[in-house]
Amino acid sequence: MLLRRVIEHVKTQNWTAVGLDFVIVVVGVFIGIQVSNWNDARGERSEERLALLALREDLATTTAHVRTTFEQVKVANTHLRKVARFADGLEDDLPISELDEHILRGVYLFQVFNPTMVTFDELRDSGRLSLINDVELRKKLQELASQIEDVRSAESNVFEVIIGITDPYLLENYDVRGFIGYAMTEGGSGVDWLDPMKDRRDMRDTMQTPQFISRVLYRARMNFTYRNSLERLTIVLSEADQMIVDRLDELGGS
């Protein structure tokens, strides 16, 4: 319809009308492009908002788990300190049942780190991290991922000490049936026909040797690094969460 009218105006050499028609076409195209861009931007903001909400859920789950793990490591360090004092001859009157618990919780058991970062991993691995339209927030999320890797590295170091240094020594030099007793009382796996204290050998002298104290102190050093990395991760998680909240406010909803 508009094209026919333009042709008629050209035939009659009505250049003013032709100019108006041209302006109408240009304005119409411009408005169409703007509406399309607005719809695209609105859709991207909606996707970003959903991604940010999912990220907040992941961060909340990870934060709760990190706090639990951090507290477990603190408790383990308390028991580990008791073992170290005993190995140094500062706790000579420590009953064998109590020593069992300290060695179990401080030397034998391991506090597993298990973060939940599904949304970030999906955005990063699919190349869609730019969906988060905030450069500083993206940097903070990448810092968070890096800090998580630091914690995993510290966790791996503790695990290597357990598997390669402390466990072999305990299995070779300690009567570990006491561990089974504590595991069973807390619903863990154990041998139900074994009485942890029946015919129990007193291994306390074996635990007061330079070989044992060296292993205990090495485990303590790895635990210290593990605890500190968890503490730093807690800070970065809090900072990332606040930045997500701020970005949601900018997008007009949380």
Side-chain angles (χ1 to χ4, degrees):
M1 186 71 180
L2 181 60
L3 179 60
R4 182 183 301 172
R5 191 173 63 187
V6 171
I7 293 172
E8 290 176 355
H9 289 157
V10 171
K11 287 180 179 179
T12 60
Q13 297 186 355
N14 188 348
W15 304 119
T16 300
V18 170
L20 289 173
D21 291 339
F22 178 76
V23 170
I24 291 172
V25 170
V26 171
V27 171
V29 170
F30 176 78
I31 291 174
I33 292 174
Q34 289 299 103
V35 169
S36 178
N37 290 341
W38 181 80
N39 285 333
D40 290 344
R42 184 179 182 184
E44 289 175 359
R45 287 197 300 272
S46 179
E47 286 187 66
E48 182 182 1
R49 184 179 293 109
L50 291 175
L52 291 172
L53 291 172
L55 278 168
R56 281 208 79 196
E57 290 183 9
D58 288 352
L59 263 59
T61 301
T62 297
T63 298
H65 178 73
V66 169
R67 286 173 179 166
T68 299
T69 306
F70 182 78
E71 291 303 316
Q72 290 173 340
V73 173
K74 283 179 61 178
V75 170
N77 285 342
T78 299
H79 289 283
L80 195 60
R81 192 175 300 113
K82 280 283 189 179
V83 174
R85 286 178 57 81
F86 174 81
D88 273 339
L90 302 176
E91 298 276 357
D92 288 333
D93 59 344
L94 198 64
I96 186 64
S97 59
E98 189 174 338
L99 180 60
D100 278 340
E101 182 177 7
H102 292 319
I103 291 179
L104 170 69
R105 300 184 187 280
V107 181
Y108 187 74
L109 292 182
F110 179 55
Q111 294 73 37
V112 178
F113 172 62
N114 186 28
T116 301
M117 292 294 290
V118 176
T119 304
F120 175 79
D121 289 343
E122 287 180 351
L123 290 173
R124 180 188 59 190
D125 295 345
S126 64
R128 299 180 67 242
L129 193 58
S130 59
L131 178 66
I132 309 301
N133 195 20
D134 184 317
V135 174
E136 293 305 315
L137 176 53
R138 290 202 303 270
K139 288 181 179 179
K140 181 59 65 174
L141 291 173
Q142 290 166 343
E143 178 187 350
L144 175 59
S146 177
Q147 185 59 45
I148 285 175
E149 289 306 312
D150 286 347
V151 175
R152 285 191 170 125
S153 177
E155 176 192 51
S156 177
N157 290 338
V158 175
F159 190 67
E160 287 178 8
V161 170
I162 293 171
I163 296 300
I165 297 178
T166 55
D167 274 7
Y169 188 86
L170 290 174
L171 292 172
E172 185 72 23
N173 298 283
Y174 196 78
D175 190 341
V176 299
R177 69 185 71 196
F179 298 172
I180 298 175
Y182 281 108
M184 289 178 61
T185 58
E186 297 183 3
S189 59
V191 181
D192 56 5
W193 48 263
L194 178 64
D195 183 347
M197 298 308 296
K198 184 179 180 181
D199 300 324
R200 180 66 186 275
R201 290 169 293 170
D202 191 341
M203 308 296 293
R204 285 178 289 184
D205 289 344
T206 308
M207 298 299 102
Q208 291 182 319
T209 62
Q211 292 83 1
F212 183 61
I213 185 60
S214 294
R215 286 164 170 79
V216 169
L217 293 178
Y218 198 63
R219 170 67 189 273
R221 178 175 176 271
M222 294 299 102
N223 270 25
F224 180 79
T225 302
Y226 189 25
R227 186 197 67 183
N228 284 352
S229 63
L230 286 166
E231 192 169 33
R232 288 194 297 271
L233 177 57
T234 301
I235 295 171
V236 178
L237 280 164
S238 177
E239 292 172 346
D241 184 68
Q242 185 57 56
M243 292 180 73
I244 290 174
V245 170
D246 293 342
R247 178 58 183 163
L248 284 168
D249 289 342
E250 291 176 7
L251 293 172
S254 57

